């Protein structure tokens, strides 16, 4: 028997409530006639019995619905004059990546100060199409003594 979690979407229903009817992975196998209920952009229920009502129903019954992929090591700024996070995230989204983890080793200098990190956060917020995690690093110039800056 498939794991099932249900929420009553009818109680606080929003305009953007959706349901996707599809095959999806569960417990190391693909299960048919499953649903994902989505409200306000978040999955709020999954199951295989009577699906909840929704404003929009997407029939993906001949498709597999799988979680997004995490790219755990992106080097969008490791070489000077590269495309940057915006274009890297566009390519990632086209390939099914939903989260990128960008490494801090930017050219000409690694992300090792608060100012550099804030600049990169601004770039993510302005240009990115997928979720992005950012790393920082420490170097001689911005060492442990300056960590609180």
């Amino acid at each position: 028997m498939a794991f099932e979690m249900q929420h009553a979407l009818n109680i606080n229903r929003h305009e953007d409530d959706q349901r996707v009817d599809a095959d999806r992975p569960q417990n190391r196998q693909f299960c048919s006639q499953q649903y994902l209920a989505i409200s306000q952009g978040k999955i709020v229920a999954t199951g295989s019995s009577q699906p909840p009502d929704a404003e929009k129903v997407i029939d993906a019954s001949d498709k597999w619905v799988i979680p997004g992929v995490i790219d755990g090591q992106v080097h969008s700024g490791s070489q000077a004059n590269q495309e940057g996070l915006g274009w890297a995230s566009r390519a990632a989204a086209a390939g099914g990546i939903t989260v990128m983890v960008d490494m801090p080793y930017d050219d000409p200098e690694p992300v090792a100060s608060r100012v550099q990190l804030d600049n990169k956060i601004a770039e993510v917020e302005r240009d990115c199409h997928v979720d992005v995690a950012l790393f920082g690093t420490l170097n001689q110039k911005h060492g442990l003594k300056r960590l609180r800056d």
Side-chain angles (χ1 to χ4, degrees):
M1 176 172 263
F3 168 79
E4 191 169 319
M5 173 179 74
Q6 292 190 3
H7 292 264
L9 290 180
N10 294 331
I11 296 171
N12 293 313
R13 197 149 134 191
H14 298 276
E15 291 183 1
D16 64 343
D17 286 350
Q18 298 179 41
R19 187 182 76 233
V20 179
D21 297 333
D23 298 344
R24 64 186 185 85
Q26 195 162 16
N27 299 328
R28 298 187 180 134
Q29 63 184 1
F30 272 88
C31 299
S32 59
Q33 299 178 343
Q34 300 285 303
Y35 69 83
L36 297 173
I38 302 163
S39 183
Q40 295 183 315
K42 300 204 184 283
I43 296 173
V44 295
T46 64
S48 60
S49 63
Q50 181 63 37
D53 290 334
E55 289 292 320
K56 180 178 180 182
V57 176
I58 300 168
D59 181 8
S61 55
D62 61 340
K63 311 253 185 317
W64 287 357
V65 175
I66 60 174
V69 179
I70 298 171
D71 186 342
Q73 190 168 5
V74 173
H75 291 269
S76 68
S78 294
Q79 295 177 338
N81 303 316
Q82 292 299 304
E83 73 271 359
L85 281 167
W87 282 101
S89 74
R90 245 180 112 158
I97 308 267
T98 57
V99 178
M100 297 183 338
V101 181
D102 193 59
M103 298 293 107
Y105 306 110
D106 288 4
D107 187 16
E109 181 177 48
V111 177
S113 73
R114 183 64 202 210
V115 170
Q116 291 169 307
L117 184 59
D118 285 343
N119 289 339
K120 202 139 189 190
I121 290 169
E123 181 183 1
V124 167
E125 291 173 346
R126 181 187 67 239
D127 298 339
C128 287
H129 303 274
V130 300
D131 291 331
V132 178
L134 298 172
F135 278 109
T137 189
L138 297 175
N139 60 17
Q140 293 289 10
K141 182 177 178 183
H142 305 96
L144 287 171
K145 292 180 182 177
R146 298 204 51 175
L147 188 58
R148 294 183 186 192
D149 290 348

